[in-house]
Structure formats: structure tokens, C-alpha cells
């Protein structure tokens, strides 16, 4: 599948992204395994919960929300606290904070230490380049409703040869999420259970849209939109929440004396636009502008113009240069 850059089969499950996470864990791990998890947000934290639900031992490398993990830091972790783990879980784009991790670099140092890497690419697939085979990932998990632009309900899971080998030996309980069954059925152009047919057909269409635009052009568009959002936000005097922001969303730090829920509510009520607030424990402390998937330059212009208006209205800012900043970031070829 080209968005993953793998020659191996990518399996589609009738599940949310979390079901895909669960499938990766219960098919690749076996009882007694230790799983190392990089946790600097809601989804990193969720991976630990999923692994523990299967009785696995979890060692977590926890950082402050908004921070990314450098390959050097992960190497240090894997040489000490994470030494006994055979699996490392990395959230490529941590959607709760807007932070991006260097998946290629982290995978390289993990492989040097004999670890298999499971990647959460839910909000990086079709947003940032992913080289499943070339980077040597063991598994990657995505969901239909983020960069693939579909309604929720379809999880995509890619496994490497090494991961399929481990799946043969895996003794963890599984039934609906048995990926070996799914793979055997796929070889016969079928599925073990009724698939969400409308989503499978829609996926064909969304992949065709991506192919038509060109994967490189899709990445460039996300980079341009991310730049426009970041520049607009910092131009207004606000701070980005993430140290290394993802191109899929822009998380904005809320000033100490303010509540981010105000901005979310005003955009919804006055402009019929939905942005996301912070997830617990960061509720109110950040707000998130999503720009993954089907966005045109005009959508980003409208979003940032509305944000600008709301922030002026709420007196969070007392000036606006957003329009010029956004035009500069989007470039002349507006669409
Ligand atoms: C959305 C998301 C998930 C979980 O997807 P659900 O469909 O809500 O289960 C997992 N990881 C990341 C990074 C996500 O953004």
C-alpha cells in the first residue's frame, strides 16, 4: 500500500484506531513480554493502557505533554529502563499535543538494539512521509477518520515479516482482531467477518484522491497549511504547544489567565467551525486546529480569519496581522 510504502499486505479491521492499537499488541506480543512505551500525551498513555489490559509489563518513558522524543533520548531509555522490552511503541504524531516524533530516527536506534517498533501513525498517515519497509517498522496502525478523510470505523494495520513471525507464536487472547485470520482471508480476497463495506469503498475513493493529487503534493499541502497556522498563531503573540509540531494539527498554548474552551465555543457558535480543545488533563490549557486530510487553502484562510476575529473579540489579542501572515505562508497560488 503506497501511503504506508510497504509491499506487504495492510489489513483493514472493522474498528476505530484504538481497535487497531489493540490488534497490534495482541497479535505481536506474547504473555511475559515487556513493552516500552513513549508517553507524552493521551495516545502514548493509551498504548500503555492497552498493553496492560493484556497483562503485559509496560515500561514507560514519560515526558511533559507537548514534548517530542529525540532518538538519542530513546537510545538512553532503551539502554536502561527499557532494556528488557522486546517491543517499543512510538506515537508518530501525538494528536493530544500536536507533537511530532522522529519516527525514522527512533526506529533506527530501536532496531540497533533488537527491538521491534510499533508505530501509531493515525494522524501522520497521508500527512507526513512514512516508509514502512525502508525504515524497518514492525507494525503501523492508522484509522479511517484522520488523514484518510473518511468517517470512523476502519482501522488499518501493517505488519512486517518479523511481526508476522511473532504473531505465529503469540499466545494472547484474540478473536475479532486476529490478524492472522484476516491475512489468510485477504489472500482469498475476503474477510473473516462482515467488513464495513461502505468504508472500504470510501477508502478506495480517498486513496484515489490522494493518488490523483500525488503523495508528495499532499505532504507539501499539509506542510504549507501547518506553516500558515503556526505563523498566524505566533504572529498573534500566542505560543505553540508542541516543541516539534506535526503537520496534521496545530496545538496552541492557552495563556495562564484564559480558558481555551472559550475559543472553541465562539468558533462553533459564531462561525460554525469546529476546533478541538485540550483533552484531560490539559482541558482548557490548549486548543487544536486540525488541518489533516481534505483541506484547501481557502479553508485555512477562513479558519484563521475566524480565529483572528474571535481572539480579538475575546480580547486575547489586541492586534491582527493574520491576513498578511497567512497570505505569505500560503504563497501566491491560492486555491
Ligand atoms: C484518533 C487517534 C487514535 C485513536 O483513534 P480512535 O478511532 O478514536 O480509536 C489513536 N492514536 C492517535 C494518535 C489518534 O489521533
Amino acid at each position: 500500500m503506497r501511503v504506508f510504502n510497504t509491499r506487504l499486505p495492510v489489513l483493514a479491521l472493522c474498528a476505530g484506531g484504538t481497535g487497531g492499537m489493540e490488534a497490534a499488541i495482541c497479535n505481536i506480543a506474547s504473555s511475559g513480554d515487556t513493552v516500552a512505551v513513549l508517553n507524552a500525551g493521551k495516545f502514548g498513555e493509551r498504548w500503555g493502557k492497552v498493553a496492560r489490559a493484556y497483562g503485559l509489563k509496560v515500561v514507560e518513558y514519560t515526558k511533559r505533554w507537548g514534548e517530542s522524543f529525540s532518538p538519542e533520548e530513546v537510545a538512553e531509555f532503551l539502554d536502561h529502563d527499557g532494556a528488557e522490552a522486546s517491543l517499543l511503541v512510538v506515537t508518530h504524531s501525538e494528536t493530544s499535543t500536536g507533537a511530532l516524533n522522529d519516527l525514522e530516527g527512533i526506529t533506527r536506534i530501536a532496531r540497533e538494539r533488537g527491538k521491534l517498533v510499533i508505530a501509531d501513525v493515525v494522524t501522520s498517515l497521508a500527512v507526513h512521509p512514512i516508509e514502512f519497509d525502508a525504515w524497518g517498522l514492525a507494525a503501523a496502525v492508522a484509522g479511517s477518520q484522520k488523514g484518510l478523510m473518511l468517517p470512523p470505523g476502519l482501522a488499518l494495520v501493517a505488519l512486517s515479516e518479523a511481526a508476522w513471525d511473532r504473531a505465529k507464536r503469540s499466545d494472547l487472547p484474540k478473536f475479532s482482531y486476529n490478524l492472522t485470520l484476516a491475512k489468510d482471508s485477504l489472500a482469498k480476497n475476503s474477510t473473516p467477518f462482515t467488513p464495513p463495506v461502505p468504508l472500504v469503498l470510501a477508502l478506495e475513493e480517498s486513496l484515489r484522491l490522494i493518488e490523483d493529487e500525488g503523495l508528495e503534493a499532499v505532504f507539501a499541502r499539509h506542510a504549507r497549511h501547518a506553516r500558515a497556522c503556526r505563523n498566524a498563531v505566533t504572529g498573534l503573540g500566542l505560543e505553540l504547544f508542541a516543541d516539534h509540531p506535526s503537520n496534521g494539527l496545530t496545538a496552541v498554548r492557552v495563556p495562564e489567565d484564559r480558558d481555551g474552551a472559550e475559543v472553541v465555543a465562539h468558533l462553533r457558535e459564531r462561525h460554525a467551525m469546529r476546533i478541538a480543545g485540550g483533552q484531560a488533563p490539559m482541558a482548557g490549557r490548549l486548543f487544536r486546529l486540525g488541518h489533516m486530510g481534505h483541506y484547501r487553502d481557502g479553508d485555512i484562510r477562513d479558519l484563521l480569519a475566524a480565529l483572528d476575529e474571535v481572539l480579538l473579540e475575546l480580547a486575547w489579542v489586541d492586534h491582527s496581522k493574520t491576513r498578511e501572515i497567512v497570505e505569505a505562508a500560503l504563497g501566491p497560488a491560492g486555491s
Side-chain angles (χ1 to χ4, degrees):
M1 195 173 187
R2 291 232 313 149
V3 280
F4 284 92
N5 278 305
T6 180
R7 291 172 197 288
L8 295 167
V10 176
L11 299 164
L13 296 174
C14 183
T18 308
M21 296 162 76
E22 187 164 341
I25 291 290
C26 73
N27 283 272
I28 298 174
S30 287
S31 50
D33 281 347
T34 299
V35 182
V37 175
L38 305 183
N39 173 2
K42 198 85 218 161
F43 294 103
E45 174 187 78
R46 185 173 302 175
W47 277 101
K49 289 182 177 174
V50 171
R52 284 190 198 95
Y54 281 92
L56 300 169
K57 185 171 171 204
V58 174
V59 284
E60 276 180 301
Y61 178 8
T62 309
K63 289 187 80 174
R64 209 163 38 75
W65 281 40
E67 291 182 332
S68 295
F69 297 88
S70 73
E72 296 71 30
E73 289 168 334
V74 178
E76 173 77 15
F77 165 63
L78 291 179
D79 289 339
H80 297 94
D81 293 355
E84 60 173 306
S86 53
L87 298 169
L88 172 72
V89 184
V90 186
T91 306
H92 192 191
S93 163
E94 174 52 82
T95 322
S96 63
T97 66
L100 185 73
N101 284 303
D102 173 1
L103 184 56
E104 179 181 11
I106 291 172
T107 303
R108 185 180 327 111
I109 64 92
R111 278 165 53 91
E112 284 166 11
R113 288 160 179 79
K115 320 289 184 195
L116 293 190
V117 176
I118 298 178
D120 177 334
V121 299
V122 179
T123 51
S124 56
L125 189 80
V127 173
H128 284 276
I130 292 166
E131 298 279 347
F132 186 88
D133 292 349
W135 294 351
L137 287 165
V141 175
S144 48
Q145 78 273 30
K146 310 276 173 81
L148 294 174
M149 309 173 277
L150 302 173
L154 197 67
L156 296 177
V157 188
L159 256 59
S160 70
E161 303 279 10
W164 283 117
D165 271 352
R166 286 185 57 123
K168 279 188 209 138
R169 302 195 302 273
S170 165
D171 61 354
L172 295 179
K174 51 191 150 292
F175 191 80
S176 306
Y177 295 161
N178 186 327
L179 293 176
T180 305
L181 277 187
K183 186 175 149 211
D184 293 347
S185 286
L186 184 65
K188 295 177 228 146
N189 200 24
S190 182
T191 53
F193 319 110
T194 311
V197 176
L199 287 177
V200 176
L201 296 175
L203 176 63
E204 235 170 34
E205 188 60 20
S206 77
L207 291 174
R208 196 185 59 74
L209 286 175
I210 291 170
E211 290 283 348
D212 284 354
E213 185 174 354
L215 208 43
E216 291 306 320
V218 169
F219 298 148
R221 172 167 56 81
H222 282 88
R224 200 169 71 242
H225 291 172
R227 190 170 60 238
C229 289
R230 288 172 207 152
N231 291 357
V233 161
T234 53
L236 283 164
L238 296 174
E239 277 176 48
L240 300 176
F241 192 79
D243 298 345
H244 297 92
S246 161
N247 287 345
L249 72 155
T250 299
V252 182
R253 187 178 297 283
V254 169
E256 287 297 333
D257 54 340
R258 305 282 184 178
D259 180 359
E262 267 190 335
V263 178
V264 178
H266 273 242
L267 273 169
R268 191 180 60 234
E269 285 154 21
R270 310 271 172 88
H271 298 273
M273 287 185 190
R274 277 191 186 268
I275 63 162
Q279 291 165 279
M282 285 295 162
R285 304 322 313 145
L286 69 146
F287 61 83
R288 295 172 294 157
L289 310 173
H291 36 77
M292 69 192 88
H294 196 269
Y295 282 83
R296 300 286 149 220
D297 288 4
D299 301 321
I300 299 299
R301 277 195 189 90
D302 290 349
L303 170 66
L304 293 173
L307 178 69
D308 185 290
E309 207 176 301
V310 164
L311 292 176
L312 279 168
E313 223 170 70
L314 292 172
W316 281 37
V317 300
D318 56 12
H319 68 280
S320 165
K321 291 194 284 297
T322 300
R323 210 188 140 86
E324 298 92 284
I325 292 171
V326 171
E327 292 314 316
L330 291 179
S335 62

